[in-house]
Amino acid sequence: MATIAFIGLGNMGAPMATNLLKAGHKVCVFDLSETAMAGLAEAGATLAESLHDVVKDAEVVISMLPAGKHVEQVYLGEAGLLGALPEGTLVIDCSTIAPETARRVAGEALHRGIDLLDAPVSGGVGGAKAGTLTFICGGEVDAFDRASPILNDMGKNMFHAGPHGAGQVAKICNNMLLAILMNGTCEALALGEKNGLDPAVLSEIMRQSSGGNWALNVYNPWPGVMDGVPASNDYKGGFLVDLMNKDLGLAFDNADRNKAPIPMGALARNMFLLHAQQGNGQLDFSSIQRMYRGAEKGE
Ligand code: NAD
């Protein structure tokens, strides 16, 4: 069992840290929010008083922060952790951030003899709670091998995508595809319904045909077709439109940087930006179905 410092106890970080405690690790936690910290005290974590306090005895540091600027604040600069961690520490950053930022932080870590993995996750809050996340890692193979038993206590699939930043690239590609798939699925369901088809019947037909995809299989966007998904709960919970827009922004910047055409991703991004502008940023991303139905204000 390892001595782990966990930084960032939000929607994802809190259940991930809780699963590490359940697996028997010694976990010290830090978040800027006292409320977030209090939740982890109940689960048995040691509460740190500051960023530097949390890593005092840590063999492994895990972070789950909102965006690149937070990751840079935590690790880089004079006040950053990389200057304070002993050589040989393993750092696993699970935040979804730009590959360039991940590479910059990893470069600084390497320079100081610290192993750093970018390890963004797929699986959402449900996966974080259930301990079934997928970790998509970039970095040295040795660091990946070292991290795997710990990641295994928070997830069920671990991939080594390639060198530093590769985990973030793979995550960005996946979420862009997810955005495109969700738009296409919602468009097809709305067209079928306008023709008088039952969306549940149409969903099953497409699921078993060449249009079958993840949204139809496990995340149907039409209210009432599938139990236990956000669409059947007024699109509450799940993966927020605002977070999807953050990830699509990363894909867009990356495509621009690499001169890669992403016409489908750009269209999906504009649909989600429009949807957020109409006040839906805090709904699950499958709520884009409302736009295709012409039912923006509810069913
Ligand atoms: P969140 O906003 O709920 O939590 C982030 C936490 O980090 C907050 O509690 C905040 O107080 C803390 N924090 C910010 N700056 C800090 C600092 N300097 N020191 C200590 N704590 C600090 O975000 P989340 O939903 O948990 O997402 C975290 C990351 O995971 C994001 O990059 C997101 O894109 C990614 N992600 C989220 C989901 C999801 O469904 N929520 C799914 C996959 C990936």
Side-chain angles (χ1 to χ4, degrees), residues 7-8 10-12 31-32 64-66 74 96 121 124 239 243 246:
I7 303 161
N11 293 319
M12 297 293 288
D31 193 291
L32 297 176
M64 191 49 159
L65 297 161
V74 163
T96 301
V121 305
F239 183 50
L243 278 179
K246 177 196 138 191

Side-chain angles (χ1 to χ4, degrees), residues 7-13 30-33 36 51 64-67 70 73-74 94-97 121-125 171 238-240 243 246-247:
I7 303 161
L9 307 166
N11 293 319
M12 297 293 288
F30 180 69
D31 193 291
L32 297 176
S33 151
L51 193 55
M64 191 49 159
L65 297 161
H70 307 96
Q73 261 166 21
V74 163
C94 299
S95 326
T96 301
I97 62 174
V121 305
S122 179
V125 177
K171 164 80 183 172
F239 183 50
L240 303 187
L243 278 179
K246 177 196 138 191
D247 291 357

Side-chain angles (χ1 to χ4, degrees), residues 7 28-31 37 47-55 81:
I7 303 161
C28 187
V29 298
F30 180 69
D31 193 291
M37 296 267 278
L47 306 190
E49 284 178 5
S50 68
L51 193 55
H52 282 260
D53 185 35
V54 76
V55 298
L81 288 181

